Amino acid sequence: MNTIKVSVKDRLATITLDRGKSNALNRELITELNDMLRNIAADDNIGGVILTGTAPFFSAGLDLVELYNYNEEEAKSFWQLFLDFTANMVSFKKPMVAAISGHSPAGGCVMALACDYRVMAEGQYIIGLNEVPVGIIVPNSIFQLYAFWIGKAEATRSLLSGKLYSPEEALKVGLVDELVKNESLLTAAERKIKKYMELESNTWSQSKVNIREELIAAVSADQSATLEKMLAQWWSPATRHILQTILANLQRK
């Protein structure tokens, strides 16, 4: 695997995103992570997963540099892959804790939201869904995932403005569950997930599925109509201009 590292100890798998400095999500990373989660879901020897990155990033979200250069067919297949990947993460039956090692906007936040618990490192980091200012239409499935944790009113306000939260703000609204110093991040995540893993696994898993029933239905629904609208906006001159500006700023850094 080129973009993730995996270690297993005492039935706990730790997956570390490992693609450059910012762990930007491209086709390869999403595919490798998706395949790994499917393998873990089917492996009775693994009882839970911690998903983490390396400071100062968890994941910067979708790799806009790579996406910008996709042709129409590549863009459509990528967005379909991302929506399917989100559905698979949300319906993952085993305990999964996000150890958020730094910045986690957009797609990075989506991955964290799909987990059962979020521990975030203290620091000058950002987390949230900022797709609207980037020119990307937010599908209902992603809104439902956001609202599942922070409520519909807060999710609506923050999505439509593209708000990015500091760790302290994220804790206050329920976007993350715990803040710790970076050196204690994995320890705190392990402490939480081991409490989940001590419980009877089938009871825990079925309860998780039951609690998420409406959410799983939302992310698993046919999203072809939404995808068409997203793609039409993706190729619009307005969004292409926004993306060009973002890419120009990235290249200056």
Side-chain angles (χ1 to χ4, degrees):
M1 291 172 292
N2 297 319
T3 63
I4 58 173
K5 292 179 179 175
V6 184
S7 63
V8 180
K9 183 182 178 184
D10 299 330
R11 300 186 69 247
L12 172 60
T14 300
I15 302 175
T16 305
L17 305 174
D18 186 37
R19 182 173 179 254
K21 179 186 175 185
S22 68
N23 294 319
L25 301 173
N26 69 341
R27 191 184 303 274
E28 184 179 30
L29 194 161
I30 291 172
T31 301
E32 289 190 349
L33 182 52
N34 209 15
D35 289 347
M36 179 54 60
L37 290 174
R38 280 203 177 101
N39 291 340
I40 290 172
D43 189 342
D44 291 339
N45 295 314
I46 298 177
V49 175
I50 290 174
L51 182 63
T52 193
T54 308
F57 282 91
F58 176 64
S59 169
L62 300 183
D63 185 344
L64 294 177
V65 177
E66 185 170 313
L67 264 67
Y68 183 81
N69 292 308
Y70 283 166
N71 62 32
E72 289 193 26
E73 189 177 315
E74 289 169 334
K76 184 174 183 177
S77 71
F78 176 83
W79 284 109
Q80 187 65 65
L81 172 71
F82 181 73
L83 292 174
D84 290 347
F85 164 64
T86 303
N88 289 341
M89 281 198 78
V90 168
S91 58
F92 187 75
K93 290 184 178 181
K94 296 179 181 181
M96 183 155 52
V97 170
I100 305 170
S101 47
H103 298 300
S104 189
C109 183
V110 170
M111 289 193 297
L113 289 166
C115 295
D116 301 296
Y117 192 86
R118 281 158 294 287
V119 185
M120 189 169 187
E122 297 171 345
Q124 300 299 308
Y125 302 130
I126 53 169
I127 183 169
L129 299 182
N130 61 328
E131 281 81 352
V132 170
V134 177
I136 297 171
I137 291 175
V138 178
N140 178 260
S141 58
I142 300 298
F143 168 71
Q144 295 298 341
L145 178 56
Y146 215 15
F148 185 80
W149 295 109
I150 67 174
K152 287 190 174 181
E154 181 69 25
T156 299
R157 282 191 289 264
S158 61
L159 265 176
L160 292 179
S161 62
K163 179 175 173 60
L164 291 168
Y165 298 84
S166 68
E168 292 76 20
E169 289 172 328
L171 181 67
K172 191 174 179 182
V173 299
L175 179 50
V176 301
D177 302 290
E178 192 177 342
L179 294 183
V180 297
K181 297 193 182 307
N182 197 61
E183 57 268 27
S184 305
L185 187 66
L186 284 176
T187 303
E190 285 174 16
R191 185 166 56 238
K192 184 63 184 182
I193 200 164
K194 282 179 178 174
K195 287 183 179 178
Y196 288 150
M197 290 169 63
E198 285 169 3
L199 301 170
E200 202 284 315
S201 60
N202 188 60
T203 303
W204 193 95
S205 294
Q206 193 55 56
S207 297
K208 173 178 176 175
V209 171
N210 290 349
I211 290 164
R212 293 188 175 210
E213 185 176 7
E214 290 180 7
L215 179 59
I216 291 169
V219 297
S220 304
D222 180 5
Q223 300 194 69
S224 51
T226 299
L227 187 56
E228 290 304 318
K229 291 175 185 173
M230 290 173 68
L231 287 166
Q233 185 60 39
W234 176 257
W235 293 111
S236 73
T239 294
R240 302 308 280 180
H241 178 71
I242 294 170
L243 292 170
Q244 285 169 358
T245 305
I246 291 169
L247 297 184
N249 289 337
L250 286 173
Q251 286 162 359
R252 285 194 205 102
K253 291 180 180 179

